[in-house]
Amino acid sequence: MLPADVPLCHLGPSVLLLLQLLLPSASAFFPNIWSLLAAPGSITHQDLTEEAALNVTLHLFLEQPPPGRPPLRLEDFLGRTLLADDLFAAYFGPGSPSRRFRAALGEVSRANAAQDFLPTSKNDPDLHFDAERLGQGRTRLVEALRETVAAAKALDYTLARQRLGAALHALQDFYSHSNWVELGRQQPHPHLLWPRQELRSLAQAGDPTCSDCEELSCPGNLLGFTLLTSGYFGTRPSKPPGKCSHGGHFDQSSSQPPRGGINKDSTSPGFSPHHMLHLQAAKLALLASIQAFNLLRSRLGDRGFSRLLDITPASSLSFVLDTTGSMGEEINAAKIQARHIVEQRRGTPMEPTQYVLVPFHDPGFGPVFTTSDPDSFWQQLNEMHALGGGDEPEMCLSALELALLHTPPLSDIFVFTDASPKDAFLTNRVESLTQERRCRVTFLVTEDPSRAQGRARREVLSPLRFEPYEAVALASGGEVIFTEDQYIQDVAAIVGDSIADLVTLPLEPRVVVAERPLVFRVDGLLQKVTVRIHGEVSSFWIRNPAGLQTQLLVEVTGLGSRGGPGGPLPHFSHVVLRGVPQGAELGQVPLEPRGPPERGLLAASLPPTLLSTSGPFSLELVGQDGVGRGLHRVAPQPCAVVPVLLELSGPRGFLAPGTTAPLSLRIASFSGPQDLHLRTSAKPSFALTSNLSRVHLEQNESAWGRLWLEVPDTAASDSVVMVTVTAKNGEASTMPPTHAFLRLLVQAPAPQDQLPAPAYSTDPVLNTSRPAFHFFTSVTQGGAGGGLVGNPWWTTFGVMLLLLGLGPW
């Protein structure tokens, strides 16, 4: 850790290189927890976003007592770190998983941080309230909030969270980049969120605002005036004479008179000349973020707002059903399990929030049916019958892709079929989409791959024809279960078990070895253990035996809710890396705590040999609980070192029918040389052209391209377009392709409506009529997952993020 008061000139060149890799060239409140390596004690965009969301969620829970449970009491949360797991346990009941809520906050936080990295946003002063473009910044901020509301009402919550992250970034930047704090203001700007209120007392083009400051810390460089201003960053636009700079190590304009700057992004003078006001700026940014969340709550209503942030312990239920003539038993089994889930969970916190149903046969698939009403879902499912068809293969992966596009993240999808896929060419794209959506896919197949008879076939089929299902299941953390018609109803019971609150335990060895037992460890935090064995098994028994270093960050969730106050917390000592699927151990890496123990942040340096690992690998967390008993957790999805990063970004705002939308593509190579072939597609099939189809990159080189998406006049308003870019390294390469996905919303132009004033208090947890004021330190606890982080500066630095939960995966 670096002391906050160490000037950059006193740091060695290797440390400066590290900081340049860690931080973006554009500056704002630092993006996320990784930034704390550069400026310990700073409050980041991630902190502000998550703390505001947790406070508003607590306010929502306090105002709406849970059905069948005692109401929450404010005093139970005072003086405590506010955790998502604690909130959900108090409101929905002990053990209620908060994974989807945490994942939704993660989407918002990543979109917030991306504003400092994406080429279309990082140098735009309007998106950061830079260069005295305060009126323009307010316009863009309100547009982003309006787009959030429109996307949420169109039920595209992924897009809504992206626009919300962009809006919160700009809003929070205002208090760090302007002189609002220096003017002595103690409350957020009263007109920033409402476009029809005029921004007054703004500095004009000819008004000098700053004096020269040659030191890193510049507490007195603002001239004595009462006008609102903000600093210039970089060279676009250039800084006029007498105007303030943003300041800090990355700001080229700060070396031009008047030197110095006024930003309050961090506690470090090397990055923030007004570092001494960082906490005041963060406090106002937090209050303003709470205002924005409450504004969205008033526009969407409590139900819509809860859907936006996935404030529920339940997941969705998605079925992909083969409806050809041989599938009668399988469809009946799906109906029985769906009816069981609907009846058992109706009216409880674990009632599915959304139901998705996608039929398929050959040559068709779809349409997709989505609803939040269990009776409508049951009626739609009950009307499905096995009719026609009967030959193999079928359009299974096309239907699964359609289900993934309409299923909320962190959900389970169940595929019922007795045929191999006709569209196996979609395997890699569906694998990537399962990981992008973090959905687990389980295939229930009544066609054993070793059988040579069964349904009619149009061609001689390979015994390996089910490998696409195996690949998708492995990538998503699911499984493929082969069975027979007479057993399908028993096997289908896995549906009810899989949407429950599960963790995954590692097996040793990972594959069956003759005469050697499979060992798993049961710890004190588990409530029950389910062992699934499928295949040709005659008998079994269960016995109780009584270079540039890659940084790994582990966030352990559920620590604070697993014991009484003051009790000993679980301790994790190391992480084990294993090859997938064989399970061969690649190495063990010790873990070191970062920050307070209850936050559950652990870090490790991975061996350089890992970067040469071409295949996927899994991550196990090993430690002990509070009384010394062993703990093991394994991430449900494998990780991989990706050689190529694709960044796909679109225009701000919506797509209008009858227009052409420019898209921006960045390709970065982390191993070289590479000859990459690029493919693009859009769903629906809008015309899509690109100026880049092939590119040669050496190690650590990047290339940029442009795409143009033509939106037809007939495009439906409030419809979603998914653009996919795929990069593959040559024809003979064994490396899998890399994909980038971009969701865009089509909306016809409409008169600009005004966002109303919030109907809720901006106080974090109290009504503003009370004099007391309470802040909570928040920790958003990530659900389990693994892989290279998508943010470009993380990936360039070789950083991996693993989120392992003590509770749900």
Side-chain angles (χ1 to χ4, degrees), residues 274-333:
H274 282 201
H275 59 96
M276 71 295 296
L277 298 175
H278 171 73
L279 294 181
Q280 291 95 311
K283 174 183 174 181
L284 292 183
L286 172 61
L287 289 173
S289 300
I290 293 172
Q291 279 185 339
F293 275 115
N294 278 328
L295 176 59
L296 292 175
R297 183 182 167 194
S298 70
R299 287 297 302 269
L300 297 173
D302 286 345
R303 180 178 177 85
F305 182 76
S306 296
R307 291 289 302 274
L308 174 64
L309 295 185
D310 265 339
I311 306 177
T312 174
S315 61
S316 296
L317 180 62
S318 293
F319 283 175
V320 179
L321 284 179
D322 185 343
T323 58
T324 47
S326 58
M327 284 291 295
E329 291 293 335
E330 291 83 349
I331 293 176
N332 286 336

Side-chain angles (χ1 to χ4, degrees), residues 144-154 160 295-296 299-300 654 755:
L145 288 173
R146 186 178 291 116
E147 292 159 7
T148 301
V149 172
K153 289 183 176 180
L295 176 59
L296 292 175
R299 287 297 302 269
L300 297 173
F654 297 116
L755 289 170

Side-chain angles (χ1 to χ4, degrees), residues 331-402:
I331 293 176
N332 286 336
K335 291 178 180 178
I336 291 172
Q337 287 304 313
R339 169 59 73 182
H340 175 73
I341 292 170
V342 167
E343 292 178 348
Q344 185 182 51
R345 304 193 177 192
R346 184 192 297 268
T348 72
M350 295 307 294
E351 181 179 350
T353 57
Q354 185 171 334
Y355 300 87
V356 179
L357 182 61
V358 182
F360 70 93
H361 45 87
D362 181 42
F365 60 92
V368 62
F369 175 79
T370 64
T371 182
S372 59
D373 178 19
D375 293 324
S376 296
F377 172 72
W378 170 247
Q379 180 180 356
Q380 185 75 16
L381 180 61
N382 204 38
E383 291 175 355
M384 285 194 171
H385 302 281
L387 299 172
D391 54 2
E392 185 183 1
E394 308 290 350
M395 301 293 287
C396 180
L397 295 185
S398 297
L400 176 55
E401 182 181 39
L402 188 60

Side-chain angles (χ1 to χ4, degrees), residues 685-706:
S685 299
F686 294 172
L688 181 65
T689 57
S690 171
N691 66 350
L692 200 63
S693 60
R694 299 182 61 178
V695 62
H696 176 86
L697 294 175
E698 298 292 335
Q699 185 172 5
N700 293 330
E701 284 188 348
S702 297
W704 286 263
R706 299 281 286 177

Side-chain angles (χ1 to χ4, degrees), residues 457-590:
R457 300 178 175 89
R458 286 186 292 270
E459 57 189 53
V460 177
L461 298 175
S462 166
L464 304 179
R465 61 191 181 277
F466 291 100
E467 283 191 346
Y469 297 164
E470 300 278 2
V472 171
L474 178 64
S476 70
E479 55 188 322
V480 180
I481 300 177
F482 293 100
T483 187
E484 299 177 14
D485 283 349
Q486 61 264 39
Y487 304 128
I488 184 61
Q489 293 196 12
D490 293 330
V491 173
I494 189 177
V495 176
D497 293 337
S498 292
I499 66 172
D501 183 11
L502 297 180
V503 296
T504 305
L505 301 178
L507 286 174
E508 177 61 37
R510 292 304 181 91
V511 295
V512 176
V513 179
E515 306 299 326
R516 184 176 174 184
L518 296 169
V519 178
F520 62 92
R521 294 173 175 84
V522 179
D523 55 67
L525 301 183
L526 298 171
Q527 296 178 348
K528 74 172 185 175
V529 176
T530 301
V531 179
R532 295 181 188 152
I533 304 174
H534 52 87
E536 295 183 359
V537 180
S538 58
S539 64
F540 67 93
W541 49 263
I542 300 176
R543 176 184 300 167
N544 181 359
L548 175 64
Q549 292 182 330
T550 301
Q551 297 297 311
L552 173 71
L553 181 68
V554 179
E555 184 176 7
V556 183
T557 68
L559 290 176
S561 60
R562 296 291 174 173
L569 295 175
H571 167 74
F572 294 93
S573 57
H574 62 280
V575 66
V576 180
L577 291 80
R578 297 185 183 275
V580 172
Q582 293 79 10
E585 184 174 316
L586 303 178
Q588 298 188 12
V589 184

Side-chain angles (χ1 to χ4, degrees), residues 510 576-580 583 586 616-620 634-635 637-639:
R510 292 304 181 91
V576 180
L577 291 80
R578 297 185 183 275
V580 172
L586 303 178
F617 56 91
S618 66
L619 296 160
E620 289 179 24
V634 61
Q637 293 184 344
C639 307

